[in-house]
Amino acid sequence: MSRLFGTDGVRGLAGLDITAESALALAQGAALVLGRLARQEGRRPVAVVARDPRVSGEFIVAAVSAGLASSGIDVLDAGVIPTPAAAYLVASIGADFGVMVSASHNPAPDNGIKFFATGGRKLPDAVEDEIETALGGAPLRPIGAEVGTVRRFADAEDRYLVHLLGTLDVSLKGLHVALDCAHGAAAGVSPQAFTDAGARVTVMGNDPDGININREVGSTHLEQLRELVVSSGADLGIAHDGDADRCLAIDAAGNVVDGDQIMALLALSAKRRGLLADDTLVATVMSNLGLKVAMDEHGIALVQTAVGDRYVLEALGQYGLSLGGEQSGHIIFSAHATTGDGILTGLQIAAEMARTGRSLAELASVMQVYPQVLINVTGVDRLGLRGNQQIADAVAKAEAELGEQGRVLLRPSGTEKIVRVMVEANEQHRAQSIADELADLVRAELSASA
């Protein structure tokens, strides 16, 4: 059987893959596992539940809350707030766990359910497996006064806003920020945070209606924000995704500043101020080679992990580090958050501009982005990649040819019949040529007919 939990919780088409019945059952399984310690200590378990504004979130949260309360869990319903806000609140109030109903940057018909453990941290695979196993057993059946309550977490957004503002050591007065809230969970709190921090704010994508989340807006659709930054004369643009756990930026000329460039400028800022633990940054293997080159030039070590912010988080915790993230814009500040936080990231970018008086383009120029070609080879046996000697030899040859001026990465998809071929080089045509050759070889070696 396939695993229920993916790389970021349970996700699928709401009403088909995620139904009211399955959400209720999943909540009951989570109550058994995540509420166990509180019950052993003689306490009533408490859970924070939140969602993004997509329309299906209403019935899913209702089902999740019913499953938890019927299992003896007291539920604090935080309403529509960003994913990092939910994680922060779990830690802030000492809740036993949290539930976020969101499909992040996916279109409105999709939705998802993810859990946070005590302290607002993502669940290890072993705990997710335990929840899956619990789905096959009998749920808890408390009665009378032992049944859980469902109450509104009235000041959830205010608590999170105070937390965000508390991370700043400088006013943003004098900065003009254009925000794209993706018609998502950031629509209320992000404009308020930047305004309260002193910035002048121009906003788009802040009118969620339940079905327009991520539709041609947000961090996966930057065209409108680029136009807004230039037309409004903003100093920078900040783009969130549907649940606001990621951030991409736009400089004053309308150029995209991706997660790697954001990490580079923030790492240099933190090192200069003595806040970069062990002078080390954490990034995934998909980060651009230019990030490593820039960090080497400034005496910053780079720890690389597998793809996924959960692996970045694991490395930050394992090595006691303070900053890490992904090219996609999941940036994690371990002193302030237990997950990627797009609003926090945007505030910190703006703060560095205010602190130094430099433009975003100047700050981002610390990193040269190497040309990168990514080819998704579809309809192939992704599991056959490992152990194929011809492909391994071709990769070794390409790596030798590129030397220090590029790199090669072949990675099977976690869920689809796809092998991703990524090549970076100091010249675009060189990267494209090598990527095309490797993609052709993968297609020939791993196709169904091979």
Side-chain angles (χ1 to χ4, degrees):
M1 293 180 61
S2 61
R3 191 170 184 268
L4 177 63
F5 285 88
T7 56
D8 200 21
V10 178
R11 192 174 294 185
L13 189 61
L16 182 63
D17 302 313
I18 298 179
T19 64
E21 294 83 359
S22 67
L24 186 144
L26 184 61
Q28 289 176 323
L32 273 165
V33 175
L34 301 178
R36 180 184 300 138
L37 180 60
R39 290 191 297 271
Q40 290 173 347
E41 294 176 348
R43 298 185 291 105
R44 177 78 71 88
V46 175
V48 174
V49 176
R51 66 181 181 91
D52 71 24
R54 66 190 76 214
V55 65
S56 60
E58 295 183 355
F59 86 75
I60 296 173
V61 162
V64 166
S65 296
L68 295 178
S70 67
S71 301
I73 308 290
D74 283 341
V75 175
L76 291 174
D77 185 349
V80 175
I81 58 172
T83 289
Y88 167 74
L89 291 169
V90 170
S92 176
I93 69 168
D96 294 283
F97 62 98
V99 187
M100 182 69 192
V101 175
S102 172
S104 189
H105 59 280
N106 285 26
D110 292 339
N111 218 323
I113 302 172
K114 72 175 81 176
F115 296 93
F116 293 104
T118 301
R121 301 190 177 278
K122 290 191 174 184
L123 302 186
D125 289 347
V127 177
E128 291 179 340
D129 291 342
E130 195 175 354
I131 293 174
E132 283 197 38
T133 300
L135 296 179
L140 296 168
R141 298 292 190 192
I143 59 173
E146 299 305 311
V147 172
T149 61
V150 179
R151 291 177 291 144
R152 179 82 174 113
F153 197 151
D155 63 342
E157 188 171 290
D158 289 340
R159 284 175 179 254
Y160 175 57
L161 181 60
V162 169
H163 161 66
L164 289 173
L165 296 174
T167 68
L168 296 175
D169 62 357
V170 63
S171 169
L172 303 187
K173 186 176 181 180
L175 281 179
H176 180 186
V177 182
L179 294 176
D180 181 352
C181 297
H183 296 308
V189 68
S190 187
Q192 190 65 56
F194 279 90
T195 298
D196 288 355
R200 174 186 166 203
V201 177
T202 300
V203 189
M204 61 169 284
N206 64 326
D207 189 23
D209 61 10
I211 59 174
N212 62 356
I213 189 170
N214 299 314
R215 184 193 293 164
E216 298 181 2
V217 291
S219 59
T220 54
H221 301 279
L222 295 170
E223 298 80 10
Q224 290 189 61
L225 180 59
R226 294 176 69 182
E227 293 176 4
L228 178 62
V229 169
V230 174
S231 64
S232 67
D235 296 299
L236 76 157
I238 296 295
H240 303 304
D241 60 338
D243 68 338
D245 66 349
R246 67 171 71 180
C247 164
L248 294 180
I250 306 294
D251 70 20
N255 300 307
V256 176
V257 178
D258 70 13
D260 287 338
Q261 294 166 290
I262 291 170
M263 283 190 284
L265 72 89
L266 291 175
L268 263 63
S269 169
K271 182 183 179 184
R272 187 184 72 250
R273 294 179 292 135
L275 300 176
L276 186 64
D278 286 345
D279 287 345
T280 301
L281 174 68
V282 179
T284 77
V285 293
M286 289 301 289
S287 279
N288 191 275
L289 179 60
L291 178 62
K292 183 179 188 308
V293 172
M295 295 300 94
D296 286 345
E297 289 176 352
H298 290 86
I300 296 175
L302 184 66
V303 172
Q304 290 190 292
T305 73
V307 176
D309 64 336
R310 65 162 53 201
Y311 302 111
V312 174
L313 278 163
E314 286 176 5
L316 288 170
Q318 179 180 352
Y319 301 112
L321 302 176
S322 55
L323 180 65
E326 296 186 284
Q327 189 180 66
S328 61
H330 288 116
I331 312 297
I332 303 163
F333 303 82
S334 59
H336 305 302
T338 57
T339 187
D341 190 328
I343 304 174
L344 174 61
T345 301
L347 289 169
Q348 296 303 318
I349 295 169
E352 180 64 3
M353 293 173 65
R355 197 181 289 120
T356 63
R358 301 175 69 192
S359 70
L360 179 55
E362 289 178 285
L363 293 172
S365 68
V366 66
M367 174 187 155
Q368 175 192 347
V369 178
Y370 276 53
Q372 184 182 84
V373 175
L374 176 64
I375 299 176
N376 291 324
V377 185
T378 60
V380 294
D381 176 16
R382 61 189 173 90
L383 300 180
L385 180 62
R386 179 176 295 179
N388 187 293
Q389 193 58 49
Q390 282 193 270
I391 295 175
D393 289 345
V395 169
K397 179 182 176 183
E399 289 176 333
E401 178 186 333
L402 289 168
E404 295 295 317
Q405 295 182 323
R407 69 186 181 114
V408 177
L409 178 66
L410 269 63
R411 185 171 68 90
S413 167
T415 57
E416 302 172 275
K417 294 180 178 180
I418 293 175
V419 170
R420 309 190 196 283
V421 177
M422 191 274 285
V423 178
E424 288 173 345
N426 58 340
E427 297 175 335
Q428 178 70 33
H429 70 87
R430 194 178 184 195
Q432 187 70 59
S433 175
I434 293 173
D436 287 339
E437 289 179 11
L438 290 173
D440 288 343
L441 180 61
V442 168
R443 201 172 287 111
E445 287 290 313
L446 303 182
S447 66
S449 59

